[in-house]
Amino acid sequence: MKYILGPLEKAGAKGVEMASGDGVIRRCHPIFATFVGDYPEQVLVTCVPTGECGSCEVERDQLGDDETFPLRDLARVLAVLDGVDGDPTEYKRACKEVGIKPIYHPFWENLPYTNIFRSITPDVLHQLYQGVIKHLIAWVMACCGEAEIDARCRRLPPNHNIRLFMKGISGLSRVTGREHDQISRFLLGIIIDIRLPNGLSSARLLGAVRGLLDFVYLAQYPMHTDETLGLLNDALQTFHDNKQIFVDLGIRTNFNLPKLHGASHYSAYIQLFGTTDNTNTEYTERLHIDLAKDAFRSTNFKDEVSTNDAMA
Ligand SMILES: [Zn+2]
């Protein structure tokens, strides 16, 4: 990464001349502004420990709170990174203090106008469908019972808009983002009159599910206004206001999940970087499947890295 982005050090600070579509030449300052990746990749580039937020200073046991936390302090981190050539024990301690792992010269260290903690972007595929929605479906099944949910899935009438899961959804293994999307379309419908254990009212369950589903759909709007961003925040708040039902039913003891916490940054991210279709990893994932996963599946799975390559 350092090698690839190296030219940005000079270009970002001094500028380069570029021609725009109308032929006018302007001095532009290309900078490293956003990082598109899934959660493990975000953790990797921001050098924070796994389980923490790459953007803000939230503590692990506050990830489930409906609060906002200050952005990580880039100036402090850079000051600590400067001491990398000093005493290793001291360096390790200083890194821990500012909340990062003791990394040797991260690639963004010298990039001009770059704040790696401000460059993290929303990821609808991995963060919402394969993260938040996946958890939500598991919690709903734990609340209502797998057999009941499966039976209700089978009772959905044939139609042109919703995929039917005639074997239910509890037995699915390795559920894809697309399948989570298809389940989201009827999840609220099949639990609307569900009975909960101990005679508890289902109002909070419906509120929590509806809040998260609304959030996922609003987050994917191809255009936003202050009003729609307000609705996005309201939807997340609706989930937080009702999530206690999962604790009362003994399904969760906390909601300290990094991907759920990530949702709290969405409206700020959208204001900074534009709508989420700009940064959804679904598009690059497709190429990754074609070029890496499919290509590997068509081999004999032996010697996938030739000995010469491995040595080089
Ligand atoms: Zn955060």
Side-chain angles (χ1 to χ4, degrees), residues 53 55-56 58 261 265:
C53 174
S55 282
C56 71
V58 61
H261 166 80
H265 291 300

Side-chain angles (χ1 to χ4, degrees), residues 125-290:
L125 173 65
H126 290 100
Q127 207 163 35
L128 299 186
Y129 281 113
Q130 295 294 64
V132 173
I133 290 291
K134 181 178 140 192
H135 290 304
L136 181 69
I137 292 170
W139 299 340
V140 167
M141 280 203 280
C143 284
C144 311
E146 290 182 1
E148 180 63 24
I149 293 290
D150 286 349
R152 285 172 178 236
C153 287
R154 282 193 289 271
R155 272 183 236 137
L156 287 170
N159 68 88
H160 290 289
N161 303 310
I162 299 175
R163 180 180 151 193
L164 298 182
F165 290 81
M166 295 311 287
K167 290 181 180 162
I169 53 173
S170 67
L172 295 173
S173 63
R174 296 177 63 84
V175 187
T176 61
R178 179 176 289 247
E179 283 170 323
H180 279 139
D181 171 29
Q182 289 159 338
I183 295 170
S184 301
R185 294 171 194 217
F186 59 76
L187 188 63
L188 189 63
I190 60 170
I191 60 163
I192 214 110
D193 60 345
I194 205 113
R195 285 176 178 236
L196 293 181
N198 310 327
L200 281 171
S201 155
S202 63
R204 282 182 298 161
L205 175 68
L206 297 182
V209 172
R210 190 185 151 181
L212 277 190
L213 289 174
D214 279 350
F215 180 85
V216 168
Y217 291 123
L218 284 159
Q220 294 176 79
Y221 271 22
M223 209 187 276
H224 274 288
T225 62
D226 288 347
E227 193 185 340
T228 58
L229 287 177
L231 293 173
L232 182 76
N233 290 333
D234 291 349
L236 191 60
Q237 192 58 46
T238 307
F239 167 74
H240 283 299
D241 291 344
N242 292 286
K243 67 185 176 187
Q244 184 64 23
I245 183 74
F246 297 114
V247 178
D248 292 351
L249 285 168
I251 291 156
R252 299 285 317 172
T253 53
N254 64 67
F255 294 90
N256 295 329
L257 305 160
K259 287 179 180 174
L260 183 62
H261 166 80
S264 69
H265 291 300
Y266 267 48
S267 70
Y269 286 155
I270 290 169
Q271 284 177 349
L272 278 168
F273 309 125
T275 48
T276 55
D277 48 0
N278 286 310
T279 53
N280 188 352
T281 49
E282 196 177 339
Y283 310 120
T284 47
E285 188 73 11
R286 185 66 248 165
L287 196 68
H288 176 64
I289 291 169
D290 288 346

